[in-house]
Amino acid sequence: MNRKLAGWALLLLLAWLVVEPLALVAIDAVRVDGAWTFQSVRAFFVEKNEWRAAWNSLWLAVVSVVLGALIGVPLALATRLVDFPGRRVVSALLTLPAVLPPLVGVVAFLFLYGESGVIARAVMAVTGAEKAPWRFEGAFAVVLIHATTMYVYTYLLVRAALATFDPALLEAATALGAGRWRAIRTIVLPLLRPAIGNGALLTALSSLASYSAPYVFGGGFRVLPTQVVTTRLNGDISVAMVETLALVALALIALLLASRLGGPGTRGAGKGLAPAPRASSPRTRKVVGIIAWAATAWLLLPHLALVVVSFVPIGAWNNTALPSAYTVGNYVALVAEPARWRPFGTSLWMATLAAAAAAILALGVAVAARDPKRRLSRTLEAALALPWAVPGTVYAIALATMFSRLQPGAGRFVLIGTLWLLPLAYLVRALPIVGRALVGAIRGLDPALDEAATSLGAGGWRSFRTITLPLLGPALAGATALAFVTGLGDFMTSVILYTYDTRPVSLEILGAIRQGEIGVAAAYGVVLTAISTMAFYFAERGRATT
């Protein structure tokens, strides 16, 4: 099979896996009981709650982007440009939210700021109150969670951009009389515009797709993802489809605005080498260090609370600031009781299968789409990236619609209620993560390597196996690890598609919270975070040895 024919075969596969489910959602929104109708569309537009949910999703995304940038950009500048004490430790700690499964991050806030959290209990112990002085719910709670967990996107991207920033530009500005702040405002920030724009895009898409935080803390504050699930559970499927399309439209608007914010970027601003931190006065290093450490401690307090609560036995923490007893019983229960460790096994095999399948499929697409000038390459790349712009709840509903009926001619099979639908959903969500990394990596390879191998008599497969694949190893390892972690802690897709046999660990955490077993829920979260961190560690080792 030649590369062009393989490319068309992969495009057909992506159309079946990625595009057709969304098309079926659009059809179901205007087709009820076999007849075409706009009744559901009208019902959506005349209902005030629908507009309120859409408006809440929109302004929540905007506020999350702004606050995420206000936290992420200064921290990236401080940890990259100023050599304060403990800079490397702070840099590593600030990336921790990237490895936390979304539901675990949300649960951590519950254990810190919730009515039965550490801070509320401390206030009760000091004031002698019998009830928590506040209820941590509503728009404020969701905004706080989004801002202090999603800053990591802007932080990581700006740090990566600064890693190749040419310090000679700042030295030239200083020589010409520009102060530090003027140089940052007129030189650094404009050059960081693409990184900030991409960070804003990831934050906006994550906020629009966010289900865990509004579900746990929203209360009466509804956003489109929770509205879609509620409407679907109420049996109004066609209106849920319209809500789904509205959510997709908001995601596409975010994609357009963020691409404009990012702009075309500036070429020639970096030498490809990470610059050393600039020499600063002792006072500057001290002040920046205090602020950076304080910000890091505040951002990671919820995760520290998660670890503390995981050692608290049931009934050992009432009106005291800290638990009166500690135990490892919560962790022992996860190992000793089959009903508790079985969800770990389920999540592990589903996440592993989905990540491996996404890596194989994305690798094939990357090879077929290596030449960006070809129209087929651009189409493949767009199809691969489509799940990135569509919230997870939308794809869950789209896949449930697609695989709820037997129509082999249309590529539809009954997978609802089987073991395979949830891993398939994880695969679709992982495709853009692995695909974008591999497409970027393979296009960065020097074509002369393949030409040299061919001139030495190596065939296409041997050249790929011995030259291209090893060079893609670092990107493949890192992206596959991220895809694995995404599937392992997935909640928004799982809550719609899971069955009794595919109950993942994220649903088990929610069940433990509802039953009042907060120590067990916290232990689940800590173990899940540890597994995610190990996955990134081994991926990093693989990258280092490739």
Side-chain angles (χ1 to χ4, degrees):
M1 183 180 292
N2 60 38
R3 181 172 297 184
K4 186 175 181 179
L5 189 59
W8 281 107
L10 288 169
L11 183 60
L12 191 62
L13 178 60
L14 289 176
W16 171 70
L17 200 58
V18 174
V19 180
E20 186 176 352
L22 294 177
L24 290 174
V25 167
I27 292 173
D28 282 358
V30 293
R31 189 174 175 84
V32 180
D33 297 330
W36 296 99
T37 176
F38 286 95
Q39 181 180 351
S40 301
V41 178
R42 284 195 297 271
F44 175 84
F45 280 105
V46 300
E47 179 57 51
K48 290 183 180 178
N49 287 333
E50 305 286 3
W51 283 101
R52 189 175 297 116
W55 169 247
N56 288 341
S57 293
L58 185 60
W59 75 255
L60 180 62
V62 172
V63 172
S64 299
V65 166
V66 172
L67 294 179
L70 289 177
I71 297 173
V73 173
L75 286 174
L77 291 172
T79 55
R80 179 59 76 180
L81 299 181
V82 182
D83 189 19
F84 59 86
R87 181 177 65 91
R88 293 180 184 275
V89 177
V90 169
S91 301
L93 290 176
L94 287 173
T95 63
L96 188 59
V99 305
L100 279 176
L103 183 63
V104 175
V106 171
V107 169
F109 279 84
L110 177 68
F111 294 150
L112 180 65
Y113 297 113
E115 292 86 78
S116 58
V118 175
I119 295 180
R121 290 178 188 274
V123 173
M124 291 168 63
V126 172
T127 62
E130 296 182 354
K131 294 184 177 179
W134 60 73
R135 289 183 63 83
F136 187 66
E137 66 174 22
F140 172 78
V142 178
V143 167
L144 179 64
I145 294 171
H146 279 198
T148 53
T149 56
M150 296 179 183
Y151 79 89
V152 72
Y153 301 124
T154 304
Y155 170 76
L156 287 173
L157 291 173
V158 171
R159 267 187 63 84
L162 286 170
T164 57
F165 185 77
D166 188 353
L169 294 173
L170 287 178
E171 295 168 1
T174 304
L176 292 173
R180 178 185 296 273
W181 295 113
R182 186 179 181 187
I184 290 178
R185 180 169 54 83
T186 58
I187 297 177
V188 177
L189 290 180
L191 292 174
L192 294 178
R193 184 178 163 188
I196 295 173
N198 287 329
L201 171 62
L202 289 177
T203 304
L205 293 180
S206 299
S207 175
L208 288 172
S210 176
Y211 181 80
S212 306
Y215 178 74
V216 175
F217 294 107
F221 178 72
R222 289 192 173 185
V223 293
L224 275 177
T226 54
Q227 186 77 3
V228 170
V229 176
T230 302
T231 305
R232 194 167 185 269
L233 291 175
N234 290 334
D236 207 343
I237 303 298
S238 56
V239 174
M241 297 302 178
V242 178
E243 293 168 349
T244 301
L245 293 178
L247 192 53
V248 173
L250 287 181
L252 293 177
I253 291 173
L255 188 64
L256 178 64
L257 293 178
S259 63
R260 286 180 176 274
L261 174 64
T266 303
R267 295 181 181 277
K271 293 180 176 179
L273 297 174
R278 298 188 71 197
S280 305
S281 66
R283 182 180 178 183
T284 299
R285 293 202 304 269
K286 184 177 181 180
V287 171
V288 172
I290 291 174
I291 295 174
W293 272 105
T296 304
W298 172 61
L299 291 169
L300 297 184
L301 264 182
H303 315 301
L304 181 61
L306 180 76
V307 175
V308 172
V309 173
S310 70
F311 290 101
V312 177
I314 296 176
W317 197 11
N318 295 315
N319 294 325
T320 56
L322 292 174
S324 56
Y326 294 91
T327 178
V328 295
N330 297 320
Y331 291 94
V332 173
L334 298 187
V335 179
E337 301 177 23
R340 296 196 185 278
W341 55 256
R342 192 172 294 124
F344 273 117
T346 303
S347 289
L348 281 172
W349 80 257
M350 290 194 300
T352 303
L353 179 64
I360 294 171
L361 181 55
L363 185 60
V365 173
V367 173
R370 185 169 185 171
D371 183 1
K373 295 179 181 178
R374 295 169 58 208
R375 182 178 300 177
L376 177 60
S377 298
R378 296 195 295 271
T379 308
L380 279 168
E381 192 176 3
L384 200 64
L386 183 59
W388 197 302
V390 180
T393 48
V394 172
Y395 252 112
I397 292 175
L399 291 173
T401 303
M402 171 93 170
F403 295 108
S404 61
R405 187 177 301 177
L406 181 61
Q407 285 183 323
R412 303 180 67 178
F413 306 93
V414 178
L415 295 181
I416 287 283
T418 69
L419 294 174
W420 306 111
L421 187 55
L422 205 45
L424 188 65
Y426 293 170
L427 162 64
V428 173
R429 298 297 298 163
L431 275 177
I433 298 173
V434 188
R436 287 178 70 88
L438 290 180
V439 169
I442 199 169
R443 287 178 180 173
L445 298 181
D446 189 350
L449 295 172
D450 287 333
E451 295 170 3
T454 303
S455 66
L456 292 173
W461 168 246
R462 186 178 181 187
S463 173
F464 173 77
R465 180 172 54 84
T466 58
I467 297 178
T468 305
L469 190 57
L471 292 174
L472 291 179
L476 183 63
T480 305
L482 183 56
F484 168 77
V485 169
T486 303
L488 184 67
D490 178 87
F491 178 71
M492 67 181 89
T493 306
S494 305
V495 76
I496 295 176
L497 298 178
Y498 83 98
T499 66
Y500 177 79
D501 292 327
T502 59
R503 183 179 174 85
V505 68
S506 57
L507 269 295
E508 201 64 26
I509 293 175
L510 187 64
I513 293 174
R514 285 176 172 171
Q515 293 173 14
E517 299 176 322
I518 61 171
V520 174
Y524 270 123
V526 172
V527 174
L528 202 57
T529 303
I531 295 174
S532 302
T533 305
M534 287 174 59
F536 278 111
Y537 172 75
F538 285 116
E540 191 62 31
R541 286 193 63 180
R543 294 172 62 174
T545 56
T546 300

